[in-house]
Amino acid sequence: MAAAKSARKSATAKKPTTARKPRRKKAEPKSKGLTPAEVASDSVEYPTELLEAVRTDGGEVLGVYREPLGGHPVIFAVLPIDKVEPTPYQRDLSEPHVKRLANAMERLDRYLDPVIAVRKDGRYWTPNGNHRLNASKLLGAKSIVALVLPDEDVAYQILALNTEKAHNLKERSLEVIRMYRGLVGADRKGHETAFAHLFEEPSFVTLGAAYEKRPRYSAGAYHPFVKVLEDFQELPLEKALALREARADRLLELDDAVVAVVNTLKERGLQSPYLKNFVVARINFLRFRKDGGKPDFNDTIDRMLASARKFNVDKVKREDIGRMGGGPLEPDEEHA
């Protein structure tokens, strides 16, 4: 008995600990940014060309100020609503959310939350106000109040700016791949690594490409190991995009094999919203990986494919699936 306890203690002692991210230190009070007087100061050189453009486009400038954190110039303006549109890169519109927002605005008889906008070819892209914009249009509004920024690249900061409604995995991934294609279409130069701050996570690019090809793809089951496999690439954007698309094809090939196993389990009377997660967990050999090296993407998919194709459904017990549990599913996974 003592030997068994000693062995258990030894095993526990050898278990690697998960490194925690250092806690962010709280800044000293009033140590950063501008004072109210500095925010309102007109000593900074403001973007006069953009001011004139707003007026030429039929808008009105209500004021100009420096935002209080970094001191960047901001134009507070009212724009013709038909000149404002969402960036091409963001999430799909949620009609129920638009209707709820419109109903709330109608009850209050007020619009109090300006959108962010950047001028693009005589129109205005908003990276964070699609639902407010459409709710205003639903109510028949003529204009919309906006914080107009002179830096066009802000339109690409969609994941950081779009806090209007929480993103799920599908929305984040689709936004990233659409933004990626926009950058490629605009002939942006530089390696993928140079744009990492826009994409947040390399796996979102690959999963986004998979969602484009298969809208009902349930990426939540695959995301944990794809995060382990992916890195931002030292490749030009166009070449990196081709690599991401090829990897998305491999993930869909794996998904086909996993779905075949899931369907067989269902035919045997095993029903659970976590069947796909269960199968993927069973074939995911990375769970037992001890070294810290980066696994090769294609080699990993090859091994998982082989495991899926020889998956022995006869050994699966109902209680095995019941132990999966798990958190809430992504909306697109509920019927996968």
Side-chain angles (χ1 to χ4, degrees):
M1 180 69 72
K5 288 183 178 179
S6 177
R8 284 196 296 271
K9 288 181 180 179
S10 177
T12 303
K14 293 179 181 178
K15 187 175 180 181
T17 57
T18 303
R20 292 184 178 181
K21 291 182 179 180
R23 180 176 293 181
R24 182 184 175 89
K25 292 183 179 179
K26 186 176 180 180
E28 289 294 323
K30 301 180 182 179
S31 63
K32 185 174 176 63
L34 308 182
T35 65
E38 290 169 332
V39 168
S41 171
D42 58 2
S43 61
V44 68
E45 183 178 347
Y46 288 116
T48 54
E49 289 185 10
L50 184 55
L51 290 171
E52 290 303 318
V54 169
R55 297 185 181 103
T56 301
D57 295 333
E60 288 292 339
V61 175
L62 304 177
V64 184
Y65 66 95
R66 292 191 289 175
E67 54 83 18
L69 189 60
H72 305 287
V74 180
I75 298 172
F76 185 37
V78 57
L79 303 172
I81 200 164
D82 58 357
K83 290 281 184 78
V84 183
E85 59 192 42
T87 62
Y89 321 124
Q90 59 185 282
R91 77 181 81 198
D92 294 327
L93 198 69
S94 167
E95 293 295 343
H97 185 59
V98 169
K99 290 177 182 177
R100 286 195 299 271
L101 190 55
N103 289 339
M105 290 164 59
E106 191 170 39
R107 286 196 303 272
L108 293 172
D109 196 29
R110 285 175 173 81
Y111 178 87
L112 300 173
D113 193 3
V115 300
I116 294 170
V118 294
R119 191 172 186 270
K120 178 75 171 177
D121 300 328
R123 301 188 65 78
Y124 294 84
W125 280 0
T126 174
N128 80 325
N130 196 13
H131 290 89
R132 279 169 284 161
L133 175 64
N134 278 272
S136 298
K137 288 182 176 179
L138 185 62
L139 294 173
K142 300 175 182 177
S143 60
I144 191 166
V145 178
L147 304 180
V148 183
L149 309 185
D151 185 3
E152 184 181 313
D153 279 353
V154 172
Y156 292 105
Q157 302 283 350
I158 189 163
L159 291 181
L161 287 174
N162 197 337
T163 57
E164 186 175 272
K165 175 176 170 282
H167 291 59
N168 60 34
L169 179 58
K170 181 176 183 179
E171 289 171 335
R172 288 200 303 272
S173 301
L174 283 173
E175 284 183 351
V176 166
I177 191 62
R178 290 167 182 170
M179 180 164 42
Y180 202 118
R181 294 192 188 283
L183 290 167
V184 171
D187 199 27
R188 290 298 183 99
K189 303 301 181 184
H191 288 180
E192 186 185 77
T193 49
F195 299 92
H197 64 291
L198 299 179
F199 304 140
E200 186 177 342
E201 187 180 297
S203 62
F204 292 157
V205 186
T206 303
L207 295 176
Y211 271 121
E212 285 183 326
K213 298 167 186 282
R214 185 174 297 173
R216 296 290 294 172
Y217 180 59
S218 50
Y222 304 99
H223 185 216
F225 77 79
V226 176
K227 286 176 65 174
V228 174
L229 298 177
E230 288 287 26
D231 271 329
F232 286 115
Q233 302 292 314
E234 287 290 346
L235 291 171
L237 279 176
E238 192 168 0
K239 290 185 178 180
L241 179 58
L243 174 66
R244 298 294 181 186
E245 290 177 328
R247 290 184 171 185
D249 288 336
R250 296 303 316 276
L251 288 176
L252 295 180
E253 183 183 5
L254 177 61
D255 189 51
D256 290 336
V258 169
V259 168
V261 177
V262 169
N263 289 339
T264 302
L265 291 172
K266 288 180 178 179
E267 289 169 2
R268 290 171 174 258
L270 296 172
Q271 299 291 332
S272 169
Y274 301 105
L275 277 179
K276 182 173 285 189
N277 298 68
F278 171 79
V279 175
V280 173
R282 281 290 182 93
I283 65 175
N284 180 14
F285 66 92
L286 295 179
R287 294 181 301 155
F288 310 106
R289 185 174 58 98
K290 294 181 180 179
D291 64 276
K294 176 71 67 174
D296 180 79
F297 187 95
N298 283 316
D299 288 348
T300 300
I301 300 301
D302 286 341
R303 287 185 61 178
M304 294 181 74
L305 263 172
S307 297
R309 287 166 178 163
K310 64 181 182 182
F311 195 98
N312 190 346
V313 296
D314 294 329
K315 292 186 176 181
V316 178
K317 298 177 182 178
R318 192 177 301 275
E319 54 267 30
D320 295 335
I321 299 171
R323 283 194 291 269
M324 280 296 296
L329 295 177
E330 296 283 357
D332 58 302
E333 296 175 9
E334 292 177 355
H335 305 291

